[in-house]
Every structure is written in structure tokens, then in C-alpha cells.
Amino acid sequence: MAKGVWIVAEQREGAFRKISFELASTARKLADELGDEVCAVLVGSGVEGIAGELGKYGVDKVYVADDAIFEPYTTDAHAAAVAKIVKEKDPAILLLGASAQGKDLSSRLVGKLATGMATDCTDLRLDGGKLVAFRPMYAGKCFGEIMISSFPQMASLRPNVFSAVENAKAGAVEKFDAGIDAGQLKTKVLEVQKETSGKVDLTEANLIVSGGRGMQGPDGYSVLEELAGVLGATVGASRAAVDAGWRPQTDQVGQTGKVVSPNLYVACGISGAIQHLAGMSSSKVIVAINKDSEAPIFSKADYGIVDDLFKVVPELAKECKKLLG
Amino acid sequence: MNIIACVKQVPDTETLIKVKTDGSGIEEGGIKWVMNPYDEFGVEEALRLKEKNGGEVTIVTLGPARAMESIRTALAMGADKGIHIDDASLNNGDAYTTAAALAAAIKTVPYDLIFCGQRAIDDDSGQVGSILAELLDLPQVTLVTKVEVAGSSVKAMRAIEGAQLVIESPLPCVLTAQKGLNEPRYASLPGIMKAKKKPVDIKDAAALGVTASDKAKVVKFVPPPARPPGKIIAGDDPTAKAAQLAKLLREEAKVL
């Protein structure tokens, strides 16, 4: 009988990603309701030392596969390791992050474990001991309630939506041998090109300042960069701005770009095409600054200013600097 | 070089989605159906590789009769043939069902490389490419923005949070296409004419030996949670409005 709420913790270069603590806290809540244990799987190289940190967020036990072959991440090595321990211990629920790595790993695990998964969930609950996952579909134009009839019941959690709450448990560390022969690994990471800007990725950002066609060109973004600098925010863009070549592909928010859920999303010169609204409407607070009072973005905004963004945004940056200074 | 590109037909991004009143699905009336944009990047990349290396591009889709339009679009772009898995029992299956059906169809043709979109913009699941790779026992590289084939291996650029990775995989493998991979071509008029004569094989579940599973089931569709109406900050002076906004964000919304 499948039992226990499990998470797969995500780390990069020996430091946990924030999503790992969000996963741990969410699993703790579910496990308390079920009267079960929370276990984590941690796969990496030289990671045994950090494993115990998960205890702080409610993890009872951490299964660690620590080997040089796990760094950097490859699907083959990590999926094989997680699948091995999950098949052996048979958890009822298995949660991963819906990050780039978590999506890659979780989907491969669905294949390996021949089970079902709800992707990119924004809420989870239990109904008669079974997991019910709530997730956006059509980029948030509607939502679905998903139930999984096989074990483990898998879900990936959208980063930045579930809160990480300290709730100290044992966090006992147990190493396991993933039994992987380097010869069976097919893919190889040849190069890692890190973004040197050091900016937080849109999907993980708490604050986003985003610009659209109203920015009038690539140079217009300097006012947004300035405001973002004051707030510690990440700059995003609409599809129109990306397609015009004003901003890189990685900055695009929307149905064919990134789906974001920051605490604050400031939309500047963005009219609010439905495919853009789909990508940002799960933001907690939305601000719209646009000359056109009829722009659809105002229908989603908590606060709106109808005016020229090139006049408002620099003043907003000054005011925020005063408040935060 | 023989390449498979998997495609799905989805509602266009401008579509307003309406949930049926009983929550059993979405209203399909009036929807404009298009090829999933991420799948289109896969088709385009497959065609570019074929133009360089020779071989054939096969389009595989699962969906109702209307999904044939997406196959014809891909054939008009330059693909050579299609496989249409059309079986009502599979249409609303989960990701595992879709991947199993695609795998069964793909096994009937020779291939060196398989493209899928990184996700379909309807259910946004993003699982099929990876499950397909697992079922065919192939390596995978997901979220690919650049592809270079050299001999019997491929080098792919993968975009993750804050970094770009260059990953090498032996062929055959499954690549899932991310925006930025290429700019898909439009079908030419002669392309559209030729596409009508290209072969498309129609298969059902029995022919493929697959059955639908409902390991993951959408038990209810719901409209998005409504947002309370917002405040428009009135006035003529941009400076005053900016100051009031900053104050509201700090004191009322508490996000600064």
C-alpha cells in the first residue's frame, strides 16, 4: 500500500532552490492531514551536507544519492536515481517543482513510473485521502481539478505560489545507492553558459516590471530598468516587444512565453492581449500604466494609471526610492 | 535523415476559453484551431534538417477529424507524410495515453530524430515528449532553442532559469522545441497544392494496440478565479499619481 508524501528537492551547485522549501512545506501540510511522513529525495554531487536543511521545513527523512555523475543535472541520471528509490519505497504522493529542471525530471518520471501527474499546480488539497490538484490550463484562461488514479499521485508545483513555512522536523539523512553505471548515461552537458546579469528569472521573481509596444523601442526600456533597479525587480516584456526584437526571447511573459506569479506585476505600455493576460493574471498585485484608458489590461489591474508611462515611471522610481531608502 | 515531428491541434492563442456550465469541458463552438505554436517550431526545425541532410519528415498527430488540418499545414510547409491517430477513445486521454499512442505509431516508421513541442498551449501539461522518450527508450533534451546535428549525435541548446546549457545526445533522441528555436515558414501556394496529394495514414487504437488510461483525469473545469475590480488613480499630474501609487503599493497592497 502506497504511503507517505514525498518531494524531489532541487538544488543547483550545492544550494537548494527556493522551490524545494515550498515543496517541503506543502508536503508537510498534506502529510499532517493524512497522518503520514514527509520524505525528500535529494540527488547531486557533494550534497549530503545540505540535506538536513530540509528538516527545517518539515521533512522527516531525506534519501540522498550523492555521486559525481549527478553533477551537472542530466535527465538520464537523475530520473534513474529518483525512480529507483520511489519504486522501492512506494510513496502515495510525489511532488516536484515546475521549474525547467523539475518539469524535465517529473515528466520523465511519469513515463518511468507509469503514473499520472498534474503539471504546474497552484493549489493542492485532499479529498477522502486522495490528492486533488488545481492547475491553470490554456495558460490560465481556465482551471482544472485533476485526480490521479495511479501511484504515486504526482504533481509539479508552480514556483512562487506555495509558501515555505518553517516547521522543524528530524530531517534524518539516509544515503542510497542509485546503482547507476556511467556507461548507461546517454546525454552529456558540454557547456553551461550562465547569464551574467545576475537577475532573478521571471518565473522566480517576486517583483516584475514589464513593458510592451508602448515602450516604443529597445531604448524605452531604460526607464523600466531604472524602476526595476530601485525595486529589485526583474524586467519582462510582451510578445509584441519580443517579436519586434526589442527584448530577448527569455523576457517574454504570456501564453507562448513565461507564465509568472510575482507579488507585484507592473505592466507598462502593455495593452493586455489575451495571450499576455493569460501569462500574468496569477500575479498577486497587478499595476497597469497605459495611455489608453480602454486597454484590456485595466480589467485585470488592482491599480491603474492612465497616462504617458515615460512621465509616470521615472516619477514612480523616484517615489519608491524615497519610500524604500 | 528521417525525422518525426509530433503535432497537436489547439485553440489559437487569441481564443477566449469558456467553461461548459457543468464543468465537464470547454465550449468548442467558434474556436479557431491552429497547430500548437511549439510544435510548429519542431516541424520547421525538422524541415531545415531535412533540407540539409536529406531524408523524410513524418508528421504524427493524435486528435479528432479536424486535427487533419494541422497535418496538412505541416505537409504544405514541406513535410513528406503523415500519421493521423484518430480514435474517440484516445482523444481525452491523459499524457501517458497520448505518448503511448504516439510511440506505437512512431515504431512503424524509421526515424533518427523526434521533435515535440515543449508543451501544448491547451492543457499546458508538457509531459508527452518526455513520456514518449521513456516509452521508446530514447534520451531527451527539453526546452531546446538551437539544434546542430553532427554525424550520429546532436548538440542542443537548452534554456533553463538563468543559464543556457549545451547538451550532447546520441541519435535517435527526442527534442522538445522552445520558442526561439526558429521562425517557422508559411506554407506556399504550390506547397498547399502538393500537400493534398501527400500520403496520410489513419490509425485507430486497435490498429496501434493501445488503450486509453485515465491515470490523470480532469474531474472538473472551472473558470479562473475572478479578480476584484481595481482602482484607477485619477488626476492630471503624473508626479502626484506616481506618488499615490507608490504609497498604495506600500501601505495598502504591502508589496514594497
Side-chain angles (χ1 to χ4, degrees):
Chain A
M1 169 76 185
K3 201 168 159 46
V5 183
W6 281 45
I7 67 166
V8 178
E10 184 173 335
Q11 55 84 27
R12 223 188 265 177
E13 293 170 343
F16 282 114
R17 309 281 289 175
K18 194 171 131 222
I19 184 71
S20 299
F21 304 133
E22 296 167 12
L23 288 165
S25 294
T26 308
R28 184 73 259 164
K29 257 203 236 165
L30 296 172
D32 284 347
E33 208 177 318
L34 291 166
D36 270 349
E37 255 191 342
V38 175
C39 297
V41 187
L42 175 62
V43 180
S45 174
V47 294
E48 194 186 350
I50 60 165
E53 285 176 37
L54 292 167
K56 220 194 308 180
Y57 293 90
V59 174
D60 297 298
K61 196 168 189 181
V62 189
Y63 291 98
V64 181
D66 198 330
D67 192 299
I69 56 166
F70 296 123
E71 192 57 46
Y73 168 88
T74 58
T75 320
D76 344 18
H78 281 240
V82 177
K84 181 167 188 271
I85 189 81
V86 165
K87 279 183 184 167
E88 193 184 313
K89 305 286 180 184
D90 193 24
I93 294 174
L94 179 63
L95 308 177
L96 289 96
S99 57
Q101 181 176 311
K103 281 181 178 168
D104 182 79
L105 177 60
S106 59
S107 306
R108 188 78 190 205
L109 285 170
V110 171
K112 280 196 186 297
L113 303 169
T115 188
M117 174 169 75
T119 308
D120 210 19
C121 301
T122 53
D123 199 12
L124 298 178
R125 63 183 169 86
L126 293 165
D127 185 355
K130 295 276 291 178
L131 186 70
V132 182
F134 191 69
R135 61 178 298 266
M137 301 174 74
Y138 301 87
K141 293 175 192 171
C142 82
F143 281 69
E145 274 187 13
I146 319 291
M147 288 191 78
I148 292 144
S149 59
S150 47
F151 290 104
Q153 304 163 81
M154 286 182 66
S156 67
L157 272 50
R158 178 175 289 188
N160 240 351
V161 171
F162 295 81
S163 39
V165 187
E166 292 199 16
N167 179 358
K169 298 284 171 188
V173 177
E174 185 178 316
K175 284 184 86 165
F176 74 98
D177 179 8
I180 293 167
D181 162 19
Q184 78 187 67
L185 301 178
K186 293 176 184 161
T187 55
K188 215 161 78 188
V189 178
L190 300 180
E191 227 179 292
V192 179
Q193 303 169 359
K194 279 189 214 168
E195 258 184 44
T196 45
S197 66
K199 79 173 192 182
V200 180
D201 190 79
L202 285 167
T203 57
E204 296 175 323
N206 278 324
L207 305 166
I208 295 174
V209 178
S210 203
R213 213 188 292 271
M215 302 316 297
Q216 298 172 5
D219 300 339
Y221 281 83
S222 60
V223 297
L224 300 191
E225 297 283 2
E226 191 196 333
L227 176 60
V230 171
L231 299 175
T234 301
V235 175
S238 71
R239 183 169 78 187
V242 169
D243 286 352
W246 301 348
R247 300 295 288 183
Q249 219 75 251
T250 46
D251 281 6
Q252 187 186 326
V253 173
Q255 195 168 8
T256 52
K258 287 177 177 163
V259 176
V260 300
S261 46
N263 287 332
L264 174 64
Y265 188 89
V266 184
C268 304
I270 292 178
S271 63
I274 180 158
Q275 62 81 23
H276 185 79
L277 299 179
M280 45 65 83
S281 54
S282 67
S283 306
K284 282 159 204 115
V285 174
I286 296 171
V287 170
I289 302 171
N290 202 306
K291 270 198 291 211
D292 175 11
S293 64
E294 299 295 312
I297 188 78
F298 286 112
S299 72
K300 292 279 174 192
D302 299 285
Y303 302 103
I305 293 183
V306 182
D307 210 325
D308 180 356
L309 75 94
F310 290 104
K311 287 182 184 153
V312 176
V313 175
E315 292 301 325
L316 183 60
K318 273 188 218 159
E319 288 299 328
C320 291
K321 202 170 185 177
K322 264 194 252 166
L323 283 177
L324 298 171
Chain B
M1 182 174 200
N2 295 308
I3 307 171
I4 308 272
C6 300
V7 306
K8 182 179 188 182
Q9 196 187 36
V10 298
D12 178 74
T13 53
E14 295 305 317
T15 308
L16 273 166
I17 298 295
K18 261 210 215 130
V19 174
K20 286 184 185 165
T21 43
D22 65 357
S24 65
I26 62 155
E27 299 282 0
E28 293 201 350
I31 286 179
K32 183 186 166 204
W33 297 93
V34 297
M35 192 195 306
N36 178 42
Y38 294 108
D39 300 345
E40 217 176 333
F41 301 133
V43 171
E44 175 64 32
E45 203 62 22
L47 295 175
R48 289 183 191 191
L49 289 170
K50 172 188 123 167
E51 283 155 9
K52 220 167 145 187
N53 304 301
E56 278 198 330
V57 174
T58 305
I59 305 301
V60 184
T61 198
L62 183 157
R66 60 169 162 74
M68 182 65 90
E69 296 158 21
S70 288
I71 297 184
R72 292 289 171 204
T73 303
L75 295 177
M77 286 167 76
D80 300 282
K81 56 189 185 58
I83 302 176
H84 183 183
I85 307 166
D86 183 2
D87 192 309
S89 74
L90 301 175
N91 283 342
N92 293 315
D94 55 18
Y96 199 91
T97 302
T98 303
L102 294 175
I106 288 169
K107 278 180 189 162
T108 64
V109 286
Y111 60 86
D112 303 295
L113 183 57
I114 300 172
F115 281 100
C116 293
Q118 60 108 338
R119 66 179 150 97
I121 61 160
D122 52 359
D123 61 26
D124 287 330
S125 256
Q127 300 178 32
V128 169
S130 299
I131 305 172
L132 176 65
E134 175 65 26
L135 295 177
L136 294 172
D137 195 21
L138 299 177
Q140 71 186 58
V141 185
T142 57
L143 298 173
V144 164
T145 54
K146 196 175 167 190
V147 175
E148 271 173 45
V149 172
S152 60
S153 71
V154 61
K155 263 195 240 173
M157 180 91 87
R158 163 173 161 79
I160 64 165
E161 299 89 356
Q164 304 270 347
L165 311 175
V166 181
I167 297 179
E168 187 180 54
S169 169
L171 295 174
C173 69
V174 174
L175 303 179
T176 78
Q178 169 67 314
K179 188 168 179 182
L181 179 58
N182 53 44
E183 200 58 58
R185 70 195 65 187
Y186 289 101
S188 65
L189 194 57
I192 294 168
M193 299 311 288
K194 269 193 236 163
K196 292 179 181 163
K197 294 193 190 110
K198 289 179 178 173
V200 178
D201 208 356
I202 298 176
K203 300 201 184 227
D204 62 11
L208 294 171
V210 292
T211 46
S213 72
D214 59 353
K215 299 173 195 299
K217 195 175 165 64
V218 185
V219 289
K220 198 175 161 193
F221 290 79
V222 285
R227 291 188 82 91
K231 265 184 204 171
I232 297 288
I233 298 166
D236 294 324
D237 176 16
T239 308
K241 286 192 279 190
Q244 203 192 337
L245 174 60
K247 197 166 168 240
L248 285 166
L249 290 177
R250 181 154 176 107
E251 290 171 11
E252 189 178 87
K254 296 188 168 60
V255 287
L256 293 185

